[in-house]
Amino acid sequence: MSAEVLTRPRSTPAPTRQPDKAPKWLIALCMLIGLVSHGWNMFRYPLYLTDEGIYMEQAWSVLREAKLSPYTYFYDHAPMGWLVISGWVAILPGGFHAFGNAINTGRVLMLILHVASVFLMFETVRRFTNNKAAAFLATFVYNLSPLGVYYQRQVLLDNLMMFWILLGLYLLARRDGRIVTATGAGLCFGLSLVTKENALFIMPGCAYLLHRTLREQSNRRFGVSSWWFAVLTPVMTYVLFALLKNELFPENFNFDVATNTPGDHVSLLYTVWWQLNRNSNSANGLSFTSLLHDSWLFKDRYILIGGAAATLLVLISGRRNRRLRTPMLACGLMAVGYAFYLSRSALLDFYIAPMVPLFALNLGMFFGWLTRRTKQGGAAVLVACILVPVLVMPGGFMVKYNTAGRLEFSDAYRLPLTTLQEQQVAWIKANIPTNARLIIDDDIWVALHDSNPPYKYAHSHYKATSDPDIRDKVFHKSWENIDYVVMSNKMRDALQRGGETWIIEAIDQHGQTVWQVTRGDVSLSIVKIGNTS
């Protein structure tokens, strides 16, 4: 026996078959569709959301005050999301006003991340299935789902979280056997966790994909260890930050959520415990059933029904195909994990946003399995037969019947709703002095605080009732210390759900409406408090 044979490694994994490359024009087409569908009319629809304003005001605080929040930061979310937003704003010549106002500037970042995510999703599905038609199907649904267009335009941590997860999946889908790739994928998943904590429910599917992908590699142990190290590094940095500020544990280790306070200082672990004890019956959240029937199915029943069915079929059929078993089961587990979170948590309507890319992944994976023995041309024809009716039929992705029974484009591509909020801000700046004490919603916070001169005493209604520094030192829970209440759409519902009764009493008993605008079911107003006679 030769020395060459004796020195050959005992176990050398067979080289992974590389999938066929997709033509660049097809990837560019998918990204262009995403750019147009999510960019068209995005400055005008949908209405600026309270949470968009919160994340932009926290990014404002990072840049203007070197703080994580203009108010007391109580660890409701890890800060990675608005740190990214603040980095984006910092490089723009016009800062927060580069695209007209702060939320528009944030929405441009969401558009860029969506287009990048389209590329990541296309390549992930293509590499796993070796099927370009399946990759096109996944990205097409991801681009044009009305549910996705509505929520993924908005400046939400959920969208930033899913970008990191898709980037991590793309790196794992490369299957190049390099430690640096596994480490990079782990870092992406770690960053998703410190962007929004509900990424934890997607992690089991990601971890399964990692372990099964690396199981035949000679450097498997190093790859898995590097992945977990990279995942935990951002998380432990966040924990260390709280520890150094003496804000890791609550005072006297009191975790009684009934008191709604951790003691004399905020606490990371108390907030985590409080979040875990929230459910669909919590005062500030809505139930899964009500949101499903009243909001999500109305916006897009196709992605919800088709995506749920595809996820179930992926979990069943994935066990029958050795080559596709690992990615199919991983995608199915990610969707099931996040669906479990939605069924158990106190919800806001935009929490559904991550389900759109997760369902799109499962649709692509199932189509790839279904057409694994079909030529690419035949698969492309089948994709067209599926998508064209959904795209152009009334009630589909692009068109609908209006109240007069006429066909028109969907609201996302034509309604100018945010102009109402711009009119509200313009009226405030023209008629209310900058030293007035205002209770506002967060959607206009940066517009008032980043103006010249700023409205220093304009505060979020939530902070006016929950933050002692604002509630007790500025307003003293008295209507006499309020000059105006600026009402956003459905802000009164939020006041009632949050138990902000003293503000409601100020409006009802001592308020006079001085400005109001209504369009359809959207209503904005400004109420002057006191001197109503």
Side-chain angles (χ1 to χ4, degrees), residues 16 80 155 166 178 194 230 236 261 304 310 361 430 443 446 450 453 456 464 469 479-480 482 519 532-533:
T16 303
M80 189 63 204
V155 188
L166 287 171
R178 300 170 63 194
V194 293
M236 296 311 298
T261 174
L304 294 178
L361 278 172
D443 61 303
V446 177
D450 205 51
K456 295 182 179 180
D469 288 339
W479 67 269
E480 295 177 328
I482 308 174
R519 180 179 296 167
T532 58
S533 59

mmCIF file with all atom_site columns, all heavy atoms in Angstrom, residues 16 80 155 166 178 194 230 236 261 304 310 361 430 443 446 450 453 456 464 469 479-480 482 519 532-533:
data_model
loop_
_atom_site.group_PDB
_atom_site.id
_atom_site.type_symbol
_atom_site.label_atom_id
_atom_site.label_alt_id
_atom_site.label_comp_id
_atom_site.label_asym_id
_atom_site.label_entity_id
_atom_site.label_seq_id
_atom_site.pdbx_PDB_ins_code
_atom_site.Cartn_x
_atom_site.Cartn_y
_atom_site.Cartn_z
_atom_site.occupancy
_atom_site.B_iso_or_equiv
_atom_site.pdbx_formal_charge
_atom_site.auth_seq_id
_atom_site.auth_comp_id
_atom_site.auth_asym_id
_atom_site.auth_atom_id
_atom_site.pdbx_PDB_model_num
ATOM 1   N N   . THR A 1 16  ? -20.271 19.360 -1.979 1.00 0.00 ? 16  THR A N   1
ATOM 2   C CA  . THR A 1 16  ? -21.680 19.678 -2.168 1.00 0.00 ? 16  THR A CA  1
ATOM 3   C C   . THR A 1 16  ? -21.912 20.151 -3.589 1.00 0.00 ? 16  THR A C   1
ATOM 4   O O   . THR A 1 16  ? -21.181 20.991 -4.107 1.00 0.00 ? 16  THR A O   1
ATOM 5   C CB  . THR A 1 16  ? -22.107 20.787 -1.182 1.00 0.00 ? 16  THR A CB  1
ATOM 6   O OG1 . THR A 1 16  ? -21.825 20.349 0.134  1.00 0.00 ? 16  THR A OG1 1
ATOM 7   C CG2 . THR A 1 16  ? -23.581 21.091 -1.322 1.00 0.00 ? 16  THR A CG2 1
ATOM 8   N N   . MET A 1 80  ? -30.683 47.573 19.139 1.00 0.00 ? 80  MET A N   1
ATOM 9   C CA  . MET A 1 80  ? -29.972 47.447 17.873 1.00 0.00 ? 80  MET A CA  1
ATOM 10  C C   . MET A 1 80  ? -30.735 48.069 16.713 1.00 0.00 ? 80  MET A C   1
ATOM 11  O O   . MET A 1 80  ? -30.140 48.667 15.805 1.00 0.00 ? 80  MET A O   1
ATOM 12  C CB  . MET A 1 80  ? -29.706 45.968 17.573 1.00 0.00 ? 80  MET A CB  1
ATOM 13  C CG  . MET A 1 80  ? -28.785 45.745 16.374 1.00 0.00 ? 80  MET A CG  1
ATOM 14  S SD  . MET A 1 80  ? -27.137 46.430 16.688 1.00 0.00 ? 80  MET A SD  1
ATOM 15  C CE  . MET A 1 80  ? -26.561 46.691 15.025 1.00 0.00 ? 80  MET A CE  1
ATOM 16  N N   . VAL A 1 155 ? -41.553 51.797 9.512  1.00 0.00 ? 155 VAL A N   1
ATOM 17  C CA  . VAL A 1 155 ? -40.292 51.740 10.250 1.00 0.00 ? 155 VAL A CA  1
ATOM 18  C C   . VAL A 1 155 ? -40.521 50.884 11.492 1.00 0.00 ? 155 VAL A C   1
ATOM 19  O O   . VAL A 1 155 ? -40.882 51.379 12.558 1.00 0.00 ? 155 VAL A O   1
ATOM 20  C CB  . VAL A 1 155 ? -39.807 53.150 10.640 1.00 0.00 ? 155 VAL A CB  1
ATOM 21  C CG1 . VAL A 1 155 ? -38.395 53.075 11.236 1.00 0.00 ? 155 VAL A CG1 1
ATOM 22  C CG2 . VAL A 1 155 ? -39.826 54.078 9.440  1.00 0.00 ? 155 VAL A CG2 1
ATOM 23  N N   . LEU A 1 166 ? -32.829 36.714 7.383  1.00 0.00 ? 166 LEU A N   1
ATOM 24  C CA  . LEU A 1 166 ? -32.658 36.307 5.982  1.00 0.00 ? 166 LEU A CA  1
ATOM 25  C C   . LEU A 1 166 ? -31.183 36.321 5.584  1.00 0.00 ? 166 LEU A C   1
ATOM 26  O O   . LEU A 1 166 ? -30.733 35.452 4.817  1.00 0.00 ? 166 LEU A O   1
ATOM 27  C CB  . LEU A 1 166 ? -33.461 37.226 5.066  1.00 0.00 ? 166 LEU A CB  1
ATOM 28  C CG  . LEU A 1 166 ? -34.981 37.037 5.100  1.00 0.00 ? 166 LEU A CG  1
ATOM 29  C CD1 . LEU A 1 166 ? -35.681 38.145 4.335  1.00 0.00 ? 166 LEU A CD1 1
ATOM 30  C CD2 . LEU A 1 166 ? -35.371 35.672 4.537  1.00 0.00 ? 166 LEU A CD2 1
ATOM 31  N N   . ARG A 1 178 ? -16.916 26.968 5.313  1.00 0.00 ? 178 ARG A N   1
ATOM 32  C CA  . ARG A 1 178 ? -15.964 27.876 5.954  1.00 0.00 ? 178 ARG A CA  1
ATOM 33  C C   . ARG A 1 178 ? -16.462 28.283 7.333  1.00 0.00 ? 178 ARG A C   1
ATOM 34  O O   . ARG A 1 178 ? -17.645 28.555 7.538  1.00 0.00 ? 178 ARG A O   1
ATOM 35  C CB  . ARG A 1 178 ? -15.746 29.111 5.089  1.00 0.00 ? 178 ARG A CB  1
ATOM 36  C CG  . ARG A 1 178 ? -15.198 28.802 3.697  1.00 0.00 ? 178 ARG A CG  1
ATOM 37  C CD  . ARG A 1 178 ? -15.234 30.026 2.810  1.00 0.00 ? 178 ARG A CD  1
ATOM 38  N NE  . ARG A 1 178 ? -14.369 31.085 3.343  1.00 0.00 ? 178 ARG A NE  1
ATOM 39  C CZ  . ARG A 1 178 ? -14.418 32.345 2.930  1.00 0.00 ? 178 ARG A CZ  1
ATOM 40  N NH1 . ARG A 1 178 ? -15.305 32.704 2.015  1.00 0.00 ? 178 ARG A NH1 1
ATOM 41  N NH2 . ARG A 1 178 ? -13.599 33.238 3.442  1.00 0.00 ? 178 ARG A NH2 1
ATOM 42  N N   . VAL A 1 194 ? -31.085 41.025 19.303 1.00 0.00 ? 194 VAL A N   1
ATOM 43  C CA  . VAL A 1 194 ? -30.970 42.316 19.976 1.00 0.00 ? 194 VAL A CA  1
ATOM 44  C C   . VAL A 1 194 ? -31.605 43.430 19.154 1.00 0.00 ? 194 VAL A C   1
ATOM 45  O O   . VAL A 1 194 ? -31.450 44.610 19.468 1.00 0.00 ? 194 VAL A O   1
ATOM 46  C CB  . VAL A 1 194 ? -29.501 42.654 20.306 1.00 0.00 ? 194 VAL A CB  1
ATOM 47  C CG1 . VAL A 1 194 ? -28.956 41.708 21.343 1.00 0.00 ? 194 VAL A CG1 1
ATOM 48  C CG2 . VAL A 1 194 ? -28.640 42.670 19.060 1.00 0.00 ? 194 VAL A CG2 1
ATOM 49  N N   . ALA A 1 230 ? -21.095 33.433 18.150 1.00 0.00 ? 230 ALA A N   1
ATOM 50  C CA  . ALA A 1 230 ? -21.487 34.664 17.470 1.00 0.00 ? 230 ALA A CA  1
ATOM 51  C C   . ALA A 1 230 ? -22.926 35.054 17.805 1.00 0.00 ? 230 ALA A C   1
ATOM 52  O O   . ALA A 1 230 ? -23.248 36.243 17.893 1.00 0.00 ? 230 ALA A O   1
ATOM 53  C CB  . ALA A 1 230 ? -21.319 34.502 15.962 1.00 0.00 ? 230 ALA A CB  1
ATOM 54  N N   . MET A 1 236 ? -25.088 38.821 25.049 1.00 0.00 ? 236 MET A N   1
ATOM 55  C CA  . MET A 1 236 ? -24.356 39.003 26.303 1.00 0.00 ? 236 MET A CA  1
ATOM 56  C C   . MET A 1 236 ? -23.824 40.435 26.432 1.00 0.00 ? 236 MET A C   1
ATOM 57  O O   . MET A 1 236 ? -23.698 40.950 27.545 1.00 0.00 ? 236 MET A O   1
ATOM 58  C CB  . MET A 1 236 ? -23.214 37.994 26.389 1.00 0.00 ? 236 MET A CB  1
ATOM 59  C CG  . MET A 1 236 ? -23.670 36.541 26.449 1.00 0.00 ? 236 MET A CG  1
ATOM 60  S SD  . MET A 1 236 ? -24.970 36.243 27.673 1.00 0.00 ? 236 MET A SD  1
ATOM 61  C CE  . MET A 1 236 ? -24.114 36.681 29.186 1.00 0.00 ? 236 MET A CE  1
ATOM 62  N N   . THR A 1 261 ? -43.989 47.925 38.438 1.00 0.00 ? 261 THR A N   1
ATOM 63  C CA  . THR A 1 261 ? -42.754 48.684 38.630 1.00 0.00 ? 261 THR A CA  1
ATOM 64  C C   . THR A 1 261 ? -41.709 47.779 39.257 1.00 0.00 ? 261 THR A C   1
ATOM 65  O O   . THR A 1 261 ? -42.023 47.008 40.165 1.00 0.00 ? 261 THR A O   1
ATOM 66  C CB  . THR A 1 261 ? -42.983 49.920 39.516 1.00 0.00 ? 261 THR A CB  1
ATOM 67  O OG1 . THR A 1 261 ? -41.717 50.533 39.776 1.00 0.00 ? 261 THR A OG1 1
ATOM 68  C CG2 . THR A 1 261 ? -43.646 49.539 40.831 1.00 0.00 ? 261 THR A CG2 1
ATOM 69  N N   . LEU A 1 304 ? -51.964 34.345 3.970  1.00 0.00 ? 304 LEU A N   1
ATOM 70  C CA  . LEU A 1 304 ? -52.187 33.681 5.249  1.00 0.00 ? 304 LEU A CA  1
ATOM 71  C C   . LEU A 1 304 ? -52.679 32.251 5.050  1.00 0.00 ? 304 LEU A C   1
ATOM 72  O O   . LEU A 1 304 ? -52.175 31.314 5.683  1.00 0.00 ? 304 LEU A O   1
ATOM 73  C CB  . LEU A 1 304 ? -53.186 34.480 6.090  1.00 0.00 ? 304 LEU A CB  1
ATOM 74  C CG  . LEU A 1 304 ? -52.703 35.865 6.539  1.00 0.00 ? 304 LEU A CG  1
ATOM 75  C CD1 . LEU A 1 304 ? -53.796 36.586 7.317  1.00 0.00 ? 304 LEU A CD1 1
ATOM 76  C CD2 . LEU A 1 304 ? -51.442 35.745 7.377  1.00 0.00 ? 304 LEU A CD2 1
ATOM 77  N N   . ALA A 1 310 ? -48.897 25.845 2.941  1.00 0.00 ? 310 ALA A N   1
ATOM 78  C CA  . ALA A 1 310 ? -47.563 25.480 2.453  1.00 0.00 ? 310 ALA A CA  1
ATOM 79  C C   . ALA A 1 310 ? -46.655 25.058 3.602  1.00 0.00 ? 310 ALA A C   1
ATOM 80  O O   . ALA A 1 310 ? -45.871 24.109 3.465  1.00 0.00 ? 310 ALA A O   1
ATOM 81  C CB  . ALA A 1 310 ? -46.947 26.665 1.705  1.00 0.00 ? 310 ALA A CB  1
ATOM 82  N N   . LEU A 1 361 ? -41.052 31.999 2.145  1.00 0.00 ? 361 LEU A N   1
ATOM 83  C CA  . LEU A 1 361 ? -40.010 30.972 2.123  1.00 0.00 ? 361 LEU A CA  1
ATOM 84  C C   . LEU A 1 361 ? -40.613 29.582 2.002  1.00 0.00 ? 361 LEU A C   1
ATOM 85  O O   . LEU A 1 361 ? -40.150 28.746 1.212  1.00 0.00 ? 361 LEU A O   1
ATOM 86  C CB  . LEU A 1 361 ? -39.159 31.058 3.381  1.00 0.00 ? 361 LEU A CB  1
ATOM 87  C CG  . LEU A 1 361 ? -38.037 32.089 3.422  1.00 0.00 ? 361 LEU A CG  1
ATOM 88  C CD1 . LEU A 1 361 ? -37.442 32.163 4.822  1.00 0.00 ? 361 LEU A CD1 1
ATOM 89  C CD2 . LEU A 1 361 ? -36.947 31.754 2.411  1.00 0.00 ? 361 LEU A CD2 1
ATOM 90  N N   . ALA A 1 430 ? -47.945 76.750 13.123 1.00 0.00 ? 430 ALA A N   1
ATOM 91  C CA  . ALA A 1 430 ? -48.460 78.065 12.758 1.00 0.00 ? 430 ALA A CA  1
ATOM 92  C C   . ALA A 1 430 ? -49.277 78.711 13.865 1.00 0.00 ? 430 ALA A C   1
ATOM 93  O O   . ALA A 1 430 ? -49.407 79.949 13.896 1.00 0.00 ? 430 ALA A O   1
ATOM 94  C CB  . ALA A 1 430 ? -49.313 77.953 11.491 1.00 0.00 ? 430 ALA A CB  1
ATOM 95  N N   . ASP A 1 443 ? -46.012 59.656 16.595 1.00 0.00 ? 443 ASP A N   1
ATOM 96  C CA  . ASP A 1 443 ? -45.786 59.772 15.158 1.00 0.00 ? 443 ASP A CA  1
ATOM 97  C C   . ASP A 1 443 ? -45.305 61.165 14.752 1.00 0.00 ? 443 ASP A C   1
ATOM 98  O O   . ASP A 1 443 ? -44.662 61.322 13.706 1.00 0.00 ? 443 ASP A O   1
ATOM 99  C CB  . ASP A 1 443 ? -47.048 59.390 14.384 1.00 0.00 ? 443 ASP A CB  1
ATOM 100 C CG  . ASP A 1 443 ? -48.228 60.283 14.712 1.00 0.00 ? 443 ASP A CG  1
ATOM 101 O OD1 . ASP A 1 443 ? -48.583 60.360 15.898 1.00 0.00 ? 443 ASP A OD1 1
ATOM 102 O OD2 . ASP A 1 443 ? -48.798 60.898 13.791 1.00 0.00 ? 443 ASP A OD2 1
ATOM 103 N N   . VAL A 1 446 ? -40.703 63.622 16.527 1.00 0.00 ? 446 VAL A N   1
ATOM 104 C CA  . VAL A 1 446 ? -39.471 64.180 15.954 1.00 0.00 ? 446 VAL A CA  1
ATOM 105 C C   . VAL A 1 446 ? -39.781 65.434 15.152 1.00 0.00 ? 446 VAL A C   1
ATOM 106 O O   . VAL A 1 446 ? -38.995 66.399 15.161 1.00 0.00 ? 446 VAL A O   1
ATOM 107 C CB  . VAL A 1 446 ? -38.748 63.135 15.080 1.00 0.00 ? 446 VAL A CB  1
ATOM 108 C CG1 . VAL A 1 446 ? -37.516 63.744 14.426 1.00 0.00 ? 446 VAL A CG1 1
ATOM 109 C CG2 . VAL A 1 446 ? -38.352 61.927 15.909 1.00 0.00 ? 446 VAL A CG2 1
ATOM 110 N N   . ASP A 1 450 ? -37.426 68.250 16.512 1.00 0.00 ? 450 ASP A N   1
ATOM 111 C CA  . ASP A 1 450 ? -36.281 68.529 15.647 1.00 0.00 ? 450 ASP A CA  1
ATOM 112 C C   . ASP A 1 450 ? -36.540 69.747 14.765 1.00 0.00 ? 450 ASP A C   1
ATOM 113 O O   . ASP A 1 450 ? -35.912 69.918 13.727 1.00 0.00 ? 450 ASP A O   1
ATOM 114 C CB  . ASP A 1 450 ? -35.971 67.307 14.766 1.00 0.00 ? 450 ASP A CB  1
ATOM 115 C CG  . ASP A 1 450 ? -34.507 67.288 14.321 1.00 0.00 ? 450 ASP A CG  1
ATOM 116 O OD1 . ASP A 1 450 ? -33.629 67.419 15.197 1.00 0.00 ? 450 ASP A OD1 1
ATOM 117 O OD2 . ASP A 1 450 ? -34.249 67.145 13.114 1.00 0.00 ? 450 ASP A OD2 1
ATOM 118 N N   . PRO A 1 453 ? -37.664 76.862 16.229 1.00 0.00 ? 453 PRO A N   1
ATOM 119 C CA  . PRO A 1 453 ? -37.280 76.303 17.537 1.00 0.00 ? 453 PRO A CA  1
ATOM 120 C C   . PRO A 1 453 ? -38.067 75.033 17.842 1.00 0.00 ? 453 PRO A C   1
ATOM 121 O O   . PRO A 1 453 ? -39.139 74.816 17.279 1.00 0.00 ? 453 PRO A O   1
ATOM 122 C CB  . PRO A 1 453 ? -37.650 77.423 18.513 1.00 0.00 ? 453 PRO A CB  1
ATOM 123 C CG  . PRO A 1 453 ? -38.792 78.124 17.848 1.00 0.00 ? 453 PRO A CG  1
ATOM 124 C CD  . PRO A 1 453 ? -38.514 78.070 16.377 1.00 0.00 ? 453 PRO A CD  1
ATOM 125 N N   . LYS A 1 456 ? -40.193 71.776 23.147 1.00 0.00 ? 456 LYS A N   1
ATOM 126 C CA  . LYS A 1 456 ? -39.549 70.986 24.195 1.00 0.00 ? 456 LYS A CA  1
ATOM 127 C C   . LYS A 1 456 ? -40.541 70.328 25.142 1.00 0.00 ? 456 LYS A C   1
ATOM 128 O O   . LYS A 1 456 ? -40.213 69.339 25.802 1.00 0.00 ? 456 LYS A O   1
ATOM 129 C CB  . LYS A 1 456 ? -38.586 71.861 24.997 1.00 0.00 ? 456 LYS A CB  1
ATOM 130 C CG  . LYS A 1 456 ? -37.402 72.380 24.192 1.00 0.00 ? 456 LYS A CG  1
ATOM 131 C CD  . LYS A 1 456 ? -36.468 73.206 25.063 1.00 0.00 ? 456 LYS A CD  1
ATOM 132 C CE  . LYS A 1 456 ? -35.270 73.695 24.268 1.00 0.00 ? 456 LYS A CE  1
ATOM 133 N NZ  . LYS A 1 456 ? -34.345 74.519 25.111 1.00 0.00 ? 456 LYS A NZ  1
ATOM 134 N N   . ALA A 1 464 ? -46.647 60.395 29.368 1.00 0.00 ? 464 ALA A N   1
ATOM 135 C CA  . ALA A 1 464 ? -47.327 61.311 30.280 1.00 0.00 ? 464 ALA A CA  1
ATOM 136 C C   . ALA A 1 464 ? -48.086 60.573 31.376 1.00 0.00 ? 464 ALA A C   1
ATOM 137 O O   . ALA A 1 464 ? -48.466 61.184 32.386 1.00 0.00 ? 464 ALA A O   1
ATOM 138 C CB  . ALA A 1 464 ? -48.286 62.205 29.505 1.00 0.00 ? 464 ALA A CB  1
ATOM 139 N N   . ASP A 1 469 ? -40.927 60.836 35.456 1.00 0.00 ? 469 ASP A N   1
ATOM 140 C CA  . ASP A 1 469 ? -40.293 62.115 35.161 1.00 0.00 ? 469 ASP A CA  1
ATOM 141 C C   . ASP A 1 469 ? -41.215 63.042 34.382 1.00 0.00 ? 469 ASP A C   1
ATOM 142 O O   . ASP A 1 469 ? -41.127 64.279 34.518 1.00 0.00 ? 469 ASP A O   1
ATOM 143 C CB  . ASP A 1 469 ? -39.002 61.890 34.369 1.00 0.00 ? 469 ASP A CB  1
ATOM 144 C CG  . ASP A 1 469 ? -37.902 61.290 35.228 1.00 0.00 ? 469 ASP A CG  1
ATOM 145 O OD1 . ASP A 1 469 ? -37.984 61.427 36.461 1.00 0.00 ? 469 ASP A OD1 1
ATOM 146 O OD2 . ASP A 1 469 ? -36.976 60.677 34.659 1.00 0.00 ? 469 ASP A OD2 1
ATOM 147 N N   . TRP A 1 479 ? -55.095 68.296 34.508 1.00 0.00 ? 479 TRP A N   1
ATOM 148 C CA  . TRP A 1 479 ? -55.469 68.948 33.251 1.00 0.00 ? 479 TRP A CA  1
ATOM 149 C C   . TRP A 1 479 ? -54.988 70.390 33.204 1.00 0.00 ? 479 TRP A C   1
ATOM 150 O O   . TRP A 1 479 ? -54.793 70.951 32.110 1.00 0.00 ? 479 TRP A O   1
ATOM 151 C CB  . TRP A 1 479 ? -56.980 68.885 33.058 1.00 0.00 ? 479 TRP A CB  1
ATOM 152 C CG  . TRP A 1 479 ? -57.766 69.710 34.061 1.00 0.00 ? 479 TRP A CG  1
ATOM 153 C CD1 . TRP A 1 479 ? -58.253 69.301 35.257 1.00 0.00 ? 479 TRP A CD1 1
ATOM 154 C CD2 . TRP A 1 479 ? -58.128 71.095 33.932 1.00 0.00 ? 479 TRP A CD2 1
ATOM 155 N NE1 . TRP A 1 479 ? -58.904 70.331 35.900 1.00 0.00 ? 479 TRP A NE1 1
ATOM 156 C CE2 . TRP A 1 479 ? -58.852 71.447 35.092 1.00 0.00 ? 479 TRP A CE2 1
ATOM 157 C CE3 . TRP A 1 479 ? -57.915 72.072 32.958 1.00 0.00 ? 479 TRP A CE3 1
ATOM 158 C CZ2 . TRP A 1 479 ? -59.360 72.720 35.313 1.00 0.00 ? 479 TRP A CZ2 1
ATOM 159 C CZ3 . TRP A 1 479 ? -58.425 73.344 33.153 1.00 0.00 ? 479 TRP A CZ3 1
ATOM 160 C CH2 . TRP A 1 479 ? -59.136 73.660 34.333 1.00 0.00 ? 479 TRP A CH2 1
ATOM 161 N N   . GLU A 1 480 ? -54.793 71.017 34.367 1.00 0.00 ? 480 GLU A N   1
ATOM 162 C CA  . GLU A 1 480 ? -54.376 72.404 34.406 1.00 0.00 ? 480 GLU A CA  1
ATOM 163 C C   . GLU A 1 480 ? -52.964 72.605 33.853 1.00 0.00 ? 480 GLU A C   1
ATOM 164 O O   . GLU A 1 480 ? -52.576 73.736 33.537 1.00 0.00 ? 480 GLU A O   1
ATOM 165 C CB  . GLU A 1 480 ? -54.450 72.927 35.850 1.00 0.00 ? 480 GLU A CB  1
ATOM 166 C CG  . GLU A 1 480 ? -55.878 72.974 36.391 1.00 0.00 ? 480 GLU A CG  1
ATOM 167 C CD  . GLU A 1 480 ? -55.917 73.419 37.833 1.00 0.00 ? 480 GLU A CD  1
ATOM 168 O OE1 . GLU A 1 480 ? -54.938 73.107 38.566 1.00 0.00 ? 480 GLU A OE1 1
ATOM 169 O OE2 . GLU A 1 480 ? -56.908 74.065 38.238 1.00 0.00 ? 480 GLU A OE2 1
ATOM 170 N N   . ILE A 1 482 ? -51.849 71.053 31.114 1.00 0.00 ? 482 ILE A N   1
ATOM 171 C CA  . ILE A 1 482 ? -51.886 70.717 29.690 1.00 0.00 ? 482 ILE A CA  1
ATOM 172 C C   . ILE A 1 482 ? -52.435 71.911 28.924 1.00 0.00 ? 482 ILE A C   1
ATOM 173 O O   . ILE A 1 482 ? -53.456 72.498 29.307 1.00 0.00 ? 482 ILE A O   1
ATOM 174 C CB  . ILE A 1 482 ? -52.779 69.487 29.401 1.00 0.00 ? 482 ILE A CB  1
ATOM 175 C CG1 . ILE A 1 482 ? -52.404 68.301 30.291 1.00 0.00 ? 482 ILE A CG1 1
ATOM 176 C CG2 . ILE A 1 482 ? -52.685 69.089 27.932 1.00 0.00 ? 482 ILE A CG2 1
ATOM 177 C CD1 . ILE A 1 482 ? -53.354 67.123 30.146 1.00 0.00 ? 482 ILE A CD1 1
ATOM 178 N N   . ARG A 1 519 ? -60.978 61.910 6.881  1.00 0.00 ? 519 ARG A N   1
ATOM 179 C CA  . ARG A 1 519 ? -61.036 61.327 5.545  1.00 0.00 ? 519 ARG A CA  1
ATOM 180 C C   . ARG A 1 519 ? -61.339 59.847 5.699  1.00 0.00 ? 519 ARG A C   1
ATOM 181 O O   . ARG A 1 519 ? -60.514 59.087 6.199  1.00 0.00 ? 519 ARG A O   1
ATOM 182 C CB  . ARG A 1 519 ? -59.723 61.532 4.790  1.00 0.00 ? 519 ARG A CB  1
ATOM 183 C CG  . ARG A 1 519 ? -59.723 60.934 3.372  1.00 0.00 ? 519 ARG A CG  1
ATOM 184 C CD  . ARG A 1 519 ? -58.405 61.196 2.660  1.00 0.00 ? 519 ARG A CD  1
ATOM 185 N NE  . ARG A 1 519 ? -58.189 62.619 2.446  1.00 0.00 ? 519 ARG A NE  1
ATOM 186 C CZ  . ARG A 1 519 ? -57.032 63.159 2.078  1.00 0.00 ? 519 ARG A CZ  1
ATOM 187 N NH1 . ARG A 1 519 ? -55.975 62.369 1.898  1.00 0.00 ? 519 ARG A NH1 1
ATOM 188 N NH2 . ARG A 1 519 ? -56.905 64.453 1.909  1.00 0.00 ? 519 ARG A NH2 1
ATOM 189 N N   . THR A 1 532 ? -62.362 77.009 27.921 1.00 0.00 ? 532 THR A N   1
ATOM 190 C CA  . THR A 1 532 ? -63.302 76.526 26.899 1.00 0.00 ? 532 THR A CA  1
ATOM 191 C C   . THR A 1 532 ? -64.584 77.330 26.853 1.00 0.00 ? 532 THR A C   1
ATOM 192 O O   . THR A 1 532 ? -65.453 77.069 26.031 1.00 0.00 ? 532 THR A O   1
ATOM 193 C CB  . THR A 1 532 ? -63.654 75.062 27.184 1.00 0.00 ? 532 THR A CB  1
ATOM 194 O OG1 . THR A 1 532 ? -64.221 74.960 28.510 1.00 0.00 ? 532 THR A OG1 1
ATOM 195 C CG2 . THR A 1 532 ? -62.430 74.186 27.102 1.00 0.00 ? 532 THR A CG2 1
ATOM 196 N N   . SER A 1 533 ? -64.749 78.274 27.742 1.00 0.00 ? 533 SER A N   1
ATOM 197 C CA  . SER A 1 533 ? -65.997 79.041 27.780 1.00 0.00 ? 533 SER A CA  1
ATOM 198 C C   . SER A 1 533 ? -66.067 80.047 26.631 1.00 0.00 ? 533 SER A C   1
ATOM 199 O O   . SER A 1 533 ? -65.058 80.471 26.094 1.00 0.00 ? 533 SER A O   1
ATOM 200 C CB  . SER A 1 533 ? -66.102 79.770 29.112 1.00 0.00 ? 533 SER A CB  1
ATOM 201 O OG  . SER A 1 533 ? -65.010 80.634 29.308 1.00 0.00 ? 533 SER A OG  1
#
